[in-house]
Amino acid sequence: MNDTILISILMTIVGASTPILLAAIGELIVEKSGVLNLGIEGMMLIGAVTGFAVATTTGQPVLAILVAMLAAMAASFLFGYLTLTLTANQVATGLALTIFGIGLSSLMGESYVGKTTEVFGSWFPSGLAEHPQLRVIFGYSPIVYFSLIMTVAVSYFLRKTRAGLILRAVGESDISAHSIGYSVIGVRYAAVLFGGAMAGIAGCYYSLVLTPLWSEELTAGRGWIALALVVFSAWRPGRLLLGAYLFGAVMTLELHAKAAGFSYVAPEMLAAMPYLATIAVLALISLKKSGASAAPACLTKPFKPNA
Amino acid sequence: MLIELERRKQPSRTMLYLTPVIAVLSTMFAGAVIFTLIGHDGIGAVREIFITPLIDPYKWQDLGIKAAPLILIACGLAFGFRANVWNIGAEGQYVIGGLAGTGIALATWGMEGWWILPLMCLAGMVGGALYAAIPAFLKTRLQVNEILSSLMLTYVSIQLLYYLMRGPWKDPDGFNFPQTRLFTDSQILPEIIPGTIVHLGVPLALIIVLIAWIVLDKSVFGFQIRVVGAAPAAARYGGFSAKKTIWAAMLIGGGFAGLAGIFEAAGPFGQMVPQFPTGYGFTAIIVAFLGRLHPIGIILAGIILAVSYVGGEIAQTSLGLPNAAAGIFQAMMLFFLLATDILVRYRLKFSSTVTSGDAS
């Protein structure tokens, strides 16, 4: 295969994988703390629209990402307040957050439809970033490298740090964690806010790097793919990284198959693959159940200290 | 002044019924504020979305055909939610139900007979129930979380729809548009009020929901559903099988959603199109909660959500609000309901700052 085509396909795969990796790494932490936030898609859209609005008005991509992060964190705080403080049902609250995010972002983004902004591109010198071959390593937006660093950091955090251990304890057995004196609600708030921050940056990646423009429902259901990815990875950061690039490759293939009129596999079959693979993994985990790789035991269970 | 929460000895029935009303009113108020802040006519938006559809008799037929599928799906989901079975893939079961019925319609295309329509409806119901059987099987046999599996299957079903529309089921005389043939007269739900768009599916949905109410409130099965959800340990002692309850809840939820799907396909759509999944399956979850998982409450909640849909369309043309604006109101209703839910189990206690000073 031609080098240039191969390199551009590889770069497309990285582009498709990065936002789902970011959103999923955030959700992984949320779920590890025993909370299921189905509002990823909504938080991503809120991040995407606020980031785009700031970028077009100020021309400052880093500021845009910070604002997007804060906006998505505000949305995740709303989720946290309802589910953690008021012990509302997590599934219903998360779904409401997604519906809310879709609506709010469309409304806020109305006046930005059709505008474009400068791509938030590579920070490496153009000799590297635009080099015909080396661009496959250096030619990405800083968000791409950030997503990889975050994956390593989260993996380290969960396995090697005391705080990571506490987070896992809260997700596996809230009552025991509470009885040895950890604040279950506090830990879960922190996790939910982290999930919001990551979803916000993930959303920004669509509006500032991939497209770079705003249109209604820009993230096109990728938040659900991110959710599937967390489950697919069996709640492990290493597998999450592999899964993100696998899903990214399948999504890229799906687009190429559609464009080329590829007739061996229906593009719809490829589009359904991440979801089918996730169900298969869920079933496989249970079949060889050792207990260690399954879902956090307290997932979706509310916790009330004085109950 | 400080507000404290004090646990009630018993959940308050008054609050149980009052909180949905508080949620709707708070939504109207907060919605007006938010829309004004973003730079729209906030009060106008609330008027167009919540009031206009109710006072304009021409819009009542729209309310009916939008409320019917929401109520039907929500009622099926309520069985599951009461038993702590979280089927959130009703959207997928709705799509598969629509597809199963469409399959019959395409197979009988050009034929005539009274039996075609009931067969389509049966296929829709069975299709939806079978699709819900997948998460039920995974849950009961492999302890796979039904929230995740039913949600994933929704996206699979939508891809299946796209595939069928683009390929095998495409109308051969349709200029290559990705949609099926128009259903024939024997395959379309008849209008029940001449000159309107209100089809037979609307009263049927209501009748089914009323039957469901009787079953849920008066039968042993309804009791079993409630006990398994409220007190799983007691249910085990009482000899109620948790697995059977999961199966029943999933099959009912899927069956109702599938039936709503074929009612839509053979009703307002009159064919199958890629735009078929309109999010009714997800909105129905809001309806089920707002209706307090009770069939009568669900009927009222379904009408309120239908009002927001129809009102959203009105506001789109009269105020130029984006289509998604209605979604903001729908989500806010659920937010406020979930937030005020705590009033059912807790009592607000007002205390002055002076006396609360000694509370360490």
mmCIF file of all heavy atoms in Angstrom, chain B residues 18 27 45 86 110 143 182 207 235 285 322 360:
data_model
loop_
_atom_site.group_PDB
_atom_site.id
_atom_site.type_symbol
_atom_site.label_atom_id
_atom_site.label_comp_id
_atom_site.label_asym_id
_atom_site.label_seq_id
_atom_site.Cartn_x
_atom_site.Cartn_y
_atom_site.Cartn_z
ATOM 1 N N LEU B 18 -47.528 14.968 44.765
ATOM 2 C CA LEU B 18 -47.355 16.412 44.591
ATOM 3 C C LEU B 18 -46.065 16.745 43.840
ATOM 4 O O LEU B 18 -46.027 17.686 43.048
ATOM 5 C CB LEU B 18 -47.354 17.083 45.973
ATOM 6 C CG LEU B 18 -47.628 18.590 45.999
ATOM 7 C CD1 LEU B 18 -48.989 18.889 45.369
ATOM 8 C CD2 LEU B 18 -47.580 19.101 47.432
ATOM 9 N N THR B 27 -40.055 23.440 36.217
ATOM 10 C CA THR B 27 -39.476 23.407 34.873
ATOM 11 C C THR B 27 -39.912 24.620 34.064
ATOM 12 O O THR B 27 -39.108 25.248 33.371
ATOM 13 C CB THR B 27 -39.914 22.115 34.150
ATOM 14 O OG1 THR B 27 -39.456 21.007 34.892
ATOM 15 C CG2 THR B 27 -39.338 22.067 32.750
ATOM 16 N N ALA B 45 -41.442 31.205 25.117
ATOM 17 C CA ALA B 45 -41.071 29.803 24.894
ATOM 18 C C ALA B 45 -41.913 28.888 25.780
ATOM 19 O O ALA B 45 -42.445 27.877 25.314
ATOM 20 C CB ALA B 45 -39.583 29.598 25.180
ATOM 21 N N TRP B 86 -33.767 -2.860 35.068
ATOM 22 C CA TRP B 86 -33.554 -1.586 34.380
ATOM 23 C C TRP B 86 -33.369 -1.763 32.884
ATOM 24 O O TRP B 86 -32.275 -1.646 32.352
ATOM 25 C CB TRP B 86 -32.383 -0.842 35.014
ATOM 26 C CG TRP B 86 -32.729 -0.483 36.415
ATOM 27 C CD1 TRP B 86 -32.368 -1.144 37.545
ATOM 28 C CD2 TRP B 86 -33.592 0.579 36.833
ATOM 29 N NE1 TRP B 86 -32.938 -0.561 38.641
ATOM 30 C CE2 TRP B 86 -33.692 0.503 38.235
ATOM 31 C CE3 TRP B 86 -34.291 1.581 36.153
ATOM 32 C CZ2 TRP B 86 -34.459 1.397 38.975
ATOM 33 C CZ3 TRP B 86 -35.052 2.471 36.884
ATOM 34 C CH2 TRP B 86 -35.134 2.372 38.274
ATOM 35 N N GLY B 110 -49.735 -6.261 -1.289
ATOM 36 C CA GLY B 110 -50.602 -6.561 -2.424
ATOM 37 C C GLY B 110 -51.752 -7.481 -2.045
ATOM 38 O O GLY B 110 -52.707 -7.627 -2.789
ATOM 39 N N GLN B 143 -25.525 -13.073 34.628
ATOM 40 C CA GLN B 143 -25.443 -11.885 35.491
ATOM 41 C C GLN B 143 -24.902 -10.654 34.766
ATOM 42 O O GLN B 143 -24.234 -9.819 35.347
ATOM 43 C CB GLN B 143 -24.563 -12.148 36.728
ATOM 44 C CG GLN B 143 -25.227 -12.988 37.782
ATOM 45 C CD GLN B 143 -24.986 -14.461 37.510
ATOM 46 O OE1 GLN B 143 -23.876 -14.862 37.211
ATOM 47 N NE2 GLN B 143 -26.027 -15.270 37.585
ATOM 48 N N LEU B 182 -44.826 2.078 0.534
ATOM 49 C CA LEU B 182 -45.918 2.537 1.400
ATOM 50 C C LEU B 182 -46.799 1.337 1.717
ATOM 51 O O LEU B 182 -47.061 0.513 0.836
ATOM 52 C CB LEU B 182 -46.737 3.605 0.685
ATOM 53 C CG LEU B 182 -46.067 4.965 0.517
ATOM 54 C CD1 LEU B 182 -46.909 5.853 -0.392
ATOM 55 C CD2 LEU B 182 -45.864 5.634 1.866
ATOM 56 N N ILE B 207 -56.340 1.209 26.210
ATOM 57 C CA ILE B 207 -56.982 0.009 26.757
ATOM 58 C C ILE B 207 -55.929 -0.921 27.359
ATOM 59 O O ILE B 207 -56.083 -1.442 28.472
ATOM 60 C CB ILE B 207 -57.789 -0.721 25.652
ATOM 61 C CG1 ILE B 207 -58.990 0.142 25.245
ATOM 62 C CG2 ILE B 207 -58.248 -2.096 26.128
ATOM 63 C CD1 ILE B 207 -59.684 -0.309 23.980
ATOM 64 N N ALA B 235 -39.020 -11.545 49.028
ATOM 65 C CA ALA B 235 -39.550 -12.226 47.853
ATOM 66 C C ALA B 235 -39.022 -13.652 47.785
ATOM 67 O O ALA B 235 -39.744 -14.579 47.442
ATOM 68 C CB ALA B 235 -39.167 -11.452 46.589
ATOM 69 N N ILE B 285 -38.863 6.721 29.359
ATOM 70 C CA ILE B 285 -38.270 6.537 30.692
ATOM 71 C C ILE B 285 -38.630 7.738 31.568
ATOM 72 O O ILE B 285 -38.983 7.590 32.742
ATOM 73 C CB ILE B 285 -36.739 6.349 30.575
ATOM 74 C CG1 ILE B 285 -36.448 5.072 29.788
ATOM 75 C CG2 ILE B 285 -36.086 6.298 31.957
ATOM 76 C CD1 ILE B 285 -34.993 4.863 29.438
ATOM 77 N N PRO B 322 -34.582 26.147 18.244
ATOM 78 C CA PRO B 322 -34.162 24.893 17.624
ATOM 79 C C PRO B 322 -35.024 23.737 18.098
ATOM 80 O O PRO B 322 -35.620 23.787 19.178
ATOM 81 C CB PRO B 322 -32.714 24.723 18.077
ATOM 82 C CG PRO B 322 -32.555 25.598 19.256
ATOM 83 C CD PRO B 322 -33.539 26.711 19.109
ATOM 84 N N SER B 360 -23.088 21.136 66.409
ATOM 85 C CA SER B 360 -21.692 21.130 66.001
ATOM 86 C C SER B 360 -21.552 20.507 64.621
ATOM 87 O O SER B 360 -21.995 19.434 64.380
ATOM 88 C CB SER B 360 -20.849 20.353 66.999
ATOM 89 O OG SER B 360 -21.337 19.047 67.148
#
